Amino acid sequence: MLGDEQKVQAILENLDTAPIPEAERVLFRFLEKVNREPEHIRQEDVEAVKAAGWTDEAVYDAITVCALFNFYNRWADATGVREHPAEVYERSAERLSKGGYVAPPAPGDKKGP
């Protein structure tokens, strides 16, 4: 779905008619229940997702990603964290493209023995 804004919009508008495989539709319905009524998730819900072709690992990963996004959204909303200006993302992208995720050495740190 990455890069296919029309497909994403179709899913958001109507999951039942969106142009996606049935297995994805089943997974998205399950995740909607995880989001809206997690206290009602039962083994039958998980089994339905697995019957659609998803593995235990895929179900676990989907639940984990869903839960993390819920956590981060609530954290950002509650703390007042807002989106950065485009320049901040551009500087970060430049730094990451050159050095990856390794932090630069702190002033005064020496490399090597």
Side-chain angles (χ1 to χ4, degrees):
M1 278 180 244
L2 289 175
D4 192 339
E5 291 182 33
Q6 288 180 328
K7 186 181 283 187
V8 171
Q9 190 59 42
I11 293 166
L12 293 172
E13 287 175 6
N14 188 338
L15 182 59
D16 293 326
T17 60
I20 59 173
E22 184 60 25
E24 289 179 8
R25 204 177 322 279
V26 170
L27 181 63
F28 289 149
R29 282 191 190 108
F30 172 74
L31 290 173
E32 184 172 20
K33 189 170 184 179
V34 170
N35 270 322
R36 295 182 190 273
E37 33 183 351
E39 70 278 9
H40 293 119
I41 297 291
R42 302 290 180 259
Q43 187 61 38
E44 303 84 57
D45 298 309
V46 175
E47 293 304 324
V49 177
K50 289 170 53 179
W54 298 98
T55 64
D56 284 334
E57 183 180 13
V59 174
Y60 176 84
D61 289 347
I63 292 169
T64 301
V65 170
C66 181
L68 285 171
F69 270 90
N70 275 293
F71 167 79
Y72 290 129
N73 287 335
R74 283 171 177 73
W75 179 86
D77 289 346
T79 60
V81 171
R82 298 294 175 251
E83 188 172 344
H84 295 295
E87 307 83 58
V88 172
Y89 293 112
E90 290 167 5
R91 285 194 311 268
S92 180
E94 180 68 22
R95 180 183 54 78
L96 288 171
S97 72
K98 291 179 179 175
Y101 285 94
V102 178
D109 281 356
K110 295 182 181 178
K111 283 190 160 185

